[in-house]
Amino acid sequence: MARLDELLRNGGLVPGDTPPEHLRSGAPPPAVDQDACPHCGGAGFVRRDAALGDPDFGRAFPCRCVEAEDQQARLARLQRYSNLGPLTRLTFANLIKRGRSADPRDQTRFQRCVEDAEAFANDPRGWLVLVGASGCGKTHVAAAIANRCLEHGVPALFVVVPDLLDHLRAAYRPAAEVSYDELFEQVRNAPVLILDDLGTQTATPWAEEKLFQIVNHRYNARLPTVVTANVALSTFDDRLRTRLGDPSLSQPHADLISTVHVLEERRPAEYRELNMLELPMIREMTFDSFELLDARSERDRALRADAHRHALSFAAEPNGWMVLLGDRSRDRTHLLAAIANYRRNAGESPLLVQVADLLDFLRQAMHGDANQDYYQIKQTVRTCPLLLLDDLEIGLGSDWVRAELYQLLNPRYLARLPTVITTPNTMNRLLTDKGWERLARLLVGDADFCSVVPIGEFTPEEQPAPKPRRKTAPRRTS
């Protein structure tokens, strides 16, 4: 691929020694050769002299010379400027609309991203930030945006961030064909700029400062920008994160202009090992496949239908806590899995774990070599967006078990994070069993926040046999 400075020169964006201000003001630059347009220097567009805040500030307008240009010549000129090279083959037409991941959550995310990308390409406004692992398709989406812009006659500049920094360093040389100031100005004022692979550059103070200057200028000028990154936005400097519109920075005063799409979520190894949603049988448990007619009585059938309705309502809008009670394990797990699958198909990442498995995993992590994993697992459970715990029963009881479960659930209660718990025990039994009162009262202490839903009738529990009365000897009478 040709050097960026050569492409900018050959594309008409750097007309000889003309200062870069002519591209913003529209003033005629000196002609580089006899064929160059005296108004735009061969760039094909000019900028109006508008004040900051004016709707036309920073916008590129077609030069009069392109009006007489045929469509094929215009596209060829814009492609030379774009720096796309062989990436001109990457379009929306040959893009896999649901992405390459086999995970339905990632497919949903990718499809939403493509929809927003096409809307952006047809009317470039604001920013679009694509985050995902290498190979997930974000560069294809970014290149497709650039190619669609070119088809519409909108200049778009595609640059790979490490290459851009190399070109800027090379522009410092006295013999450089394009000066540093000219090259830097063309990049930060491009009508549409696409920065590919942000975060893969060498993190030197100079590189971070140059990137911030470009990003900050375009942020303040509201210039259409697309950014791809294969690292989480949380890893960037705070200044870059605020400009890129990191959704985790949810200050009410934030002036966000960007839409952020996480194409493939990175899930830690312990998350995948714990999550029962990875099991094929669990994935088949949906609300449609829940057997409502398998009832012991009319009241049992009514309670099952009511539990199904409550669980479906929670799945549609997870809010608060729900405790599902039932003495049939398959029913408890089925409704719990149905909620998790519902949210998973909506593009979210719920964590469904069996209590006994979670406790075993914590024991292994605590007594193994990797003590750090123990705290990481606990933090994952405490902070995941939706936690679903299966089979909380008092038979697991030990002081360590009760303490661990309370330490996991209490932070979620305080943070008001959606949580669903199933248990084969009645709440009365949990509340009256020694050692479980604190955890049980956490579950039912706030009726407005936590709902207790029975899945059908409980079978009558065997009553303890009455203790034999002690026989007393008959009193002697005198």
Side-chain angles (χ1 to χ4, degrees):
M1 183 180 291
R3 290 173 53 86
L4 177 61
D5 51 5
E6 294 173 357
L7 287 163
L8 291 174
R9 178 179 294 278
N10 294 335
L13 224 66
V14 186
D17 296 328
T18 306
E21 284 73 15
H22 79 276
L23 289 177
R24 300 193 303 276
S25 65
V32 177
D33 54 51
Q34 295 180 351
D35 296 327
C37 172
H39 301 284
C40 66
F45 65 90
V46 294
R47 297 184 189 277
R48 293 176 181 171
D49 190 6
L52 182 64
D54 188 284
D56 291 339
F57 179 81
R59 292 185 60 191
F61 294 89
C63 179
R64 67 188 68 175
C65 69
V66 304
E67 297 178 359
E69 188 178 39
D70 61 41
Q71 184 175 1
Q72 186 174 1
R74 182 183 301 114
L75 181 60
R77 172 178 53 78
L78 291 175
Q79 286 178 340
R80 289 195 303 271
Y81 160 63
S82 71
N83 192 42
L84 280 167
L87 298 186
T88 53
R89 75 185 190 281
L90 301 179
T91 66
F92 286 111
N94 56 27
L95 178 66
I96 302 174
K97 301 299 183 183
R98 294 184 66 84
R100 303 166 184 168
S101 173
D103 192 319
R105 293 167 293 179
D106 294 334
Q107 292 176 3
T108 300
R109 291 189 183 99
F110 196 88
Q111 188 170 17
R112 290 174 182 169
C113 170
V114 172
E115 292 171 357
D116 283 353
E118 288 203 74
F120 179 95
N122 292 328
D123 184 20
R125 294 178 184 273
W127 287 20
L128 196 62
V129 180
L130 313 180
V131 182
S134 178
C136 70
K138 58 188 183 295
T139 297
H140 191 145
V141 174
I145 292 173
N147 283 308
R148 178 69 61 82
C149 288
L150 302 187
E151 292 173 6
H152 292 170
V154 178
L157 179 61
F158 185 101
V159 291
V160 179
V161 171
D163 294 344
L164 169 62
L165 294 173
D166 286 344
H167 293 312
L168 289 174
R169 292 187 188 96
Y172 276 118
R173 297 199 306 263
E177 294 185 4
V178 178
S179 71
Y180 167 84
D181 290 337
E182 288 176 320
L183 181 57
F184 189 73
E185 192 72 12
Q186 302 312 323
V187 171
R188 73 174 193 162
N189 276 311
V192 176
L193 177 64
I194 298 170
L195 294 172
D196 192 35
D197 275 348
L198 181 66
T200 60
Q201 72 281 352
T202 303
T204 65
W206 179 88
E208 291 181 355
E209 187 60 31
K210 293 301 114 180
L211 285 174
F212 176 74
Q213 288 174 358
I214 293 172
V215 169
N216 188 56
H217 173 80
R218 298 188 68 84
Y219 178 87
N220 291 331
R222 295 301 194 262
L223 294 175
T225 306
V226 178
V227 178
T228 77
N230 62 4
V231 294
L233 295 187
S234 59
T235 62
F236 289 118
D237 175 83
D238 288 343
R239 298 183 304 169
L240 274 181
R241 274 202 297 163
T242 55
R243 300 304 187 270
L244 294 175
D246 184 352
S248 67
L249 301 176
S250 54
Q251 304 98 323
H253 62 272
D255 183 18
L256 302 181
I257 63 171
S258 69
T259 301
V260 179
H261 284 280
V262 180
L263 302 187
E264 288 188 11
E265 183 182 13
R266 284 181 171 85
R267 303 176 184 89
E270 67 273 12
Y271 194 106
R272 291 193 300 272
E273 291 180 34
L274 278 174
N275 206 338
M276 293 170 62
L277 275 178
E278 303 300 326
L279 302 176
M281 184 175 294
I282 295 295
R283 292 186 182 183
E284 296 175 359
M285 295 181 177
T286 65
F287 288 107
D288 291 337
S289 62
F290 183 72
E291 183 56 67
L292 290 171
L293 301 180
D294 184 15
R296 298 163 177 160
S297 65
E298 288 299 323
R299 184 173 183 273
D300 187 58
R301 181 179 292 107
L303 288 173
R304 290 170 65 81
D306 189 58
H308 182 274
R309 183 170 58 255
H310 276 86
L312 181 58
S313 176
F314 185 95
E317 189 175 352
N319 188 24
W321 283 22
M322 175 180 285
V323 179
L324 296 171
L325 310 174
D327 58 2
R328 290 189 283 190
S329 61
R330 73 172 188 272
D331 291 342
R332 298 192 307 268
T333 301
H334 194 130
L335 280 184
L336 194 70
I339 295 172
N341 284 316
Y342 189 106
R343 300 313 306 172
R344 177 174 183 160
N345 292 334
E348 297 183 4
S349 302
L351 176 58
L352 171 58
V353 295
Q354 197 164 42
V355 173
D357 292 341
L358 173 61
L359 294 171
D360 286 344
F361 212 86
L362 288 172
R363 289 189 188 96
Q364 293 173 10
M366 184 173 60
H367 298 297
D369 296 331
N371 289 330
Q372 184 63 30
D373 289 342
Y374 169 78
Y375 299 102
Q376 188 175 356
I377 296 165
K378 292 185 72 169
Q379 188 65 11
T380 298
V381 175
R382 287 169 176 166
T383 61
C384 64
L386 174 59
L387 175 66
L388 303 105
L389 284 178
D390 196 22
D391 280 346
L392 173 65
E393 55 179 318
I394 60 177
L396 298 169
S398 73
D399 291 341
W400 180 84
V401 167
R402 290 189 287 267
E404 287 296 305
L405 290 175
Y406 188 82
Q407 291 171 16
L408 292 173
L409 291 174
N410 190 50
R412 296 189 63 83
Y413 177 82
L414 297 176
R416 290 303 198 250
L417 291 174
T419 305
V420 185
I421 300 171
T422 74
T423 176
N425 307 119
T426 63
M427 289 308 302
N428 182 62
R429 188 176 178 190
L430 285 173
L431 286 168
T432 57
D433 191 272
K434 184 179 180 181
W436 286 94
E437 303 94 333
R438 183 172 66 159
L439 185 59
R441 294 190 186 282
L442 183 67
L443 302 180
V444 297
D446 186 350
D448 294 330
F449 180 69
C450 180
S451 58
V452 179
V453 181
I455 311 174
E457 293 180 301
F458 278 82
T459 55
E461 296 182 357
E462 294 183 5
Q463 298 296 324
K467 294 182 178 179
R469 299 178 63 181
R470 294 178 60 187
K471 294 182 179 181
T472 58
R475 293 182 180 179
R476 291 182 179 180
T477 58
S478 56

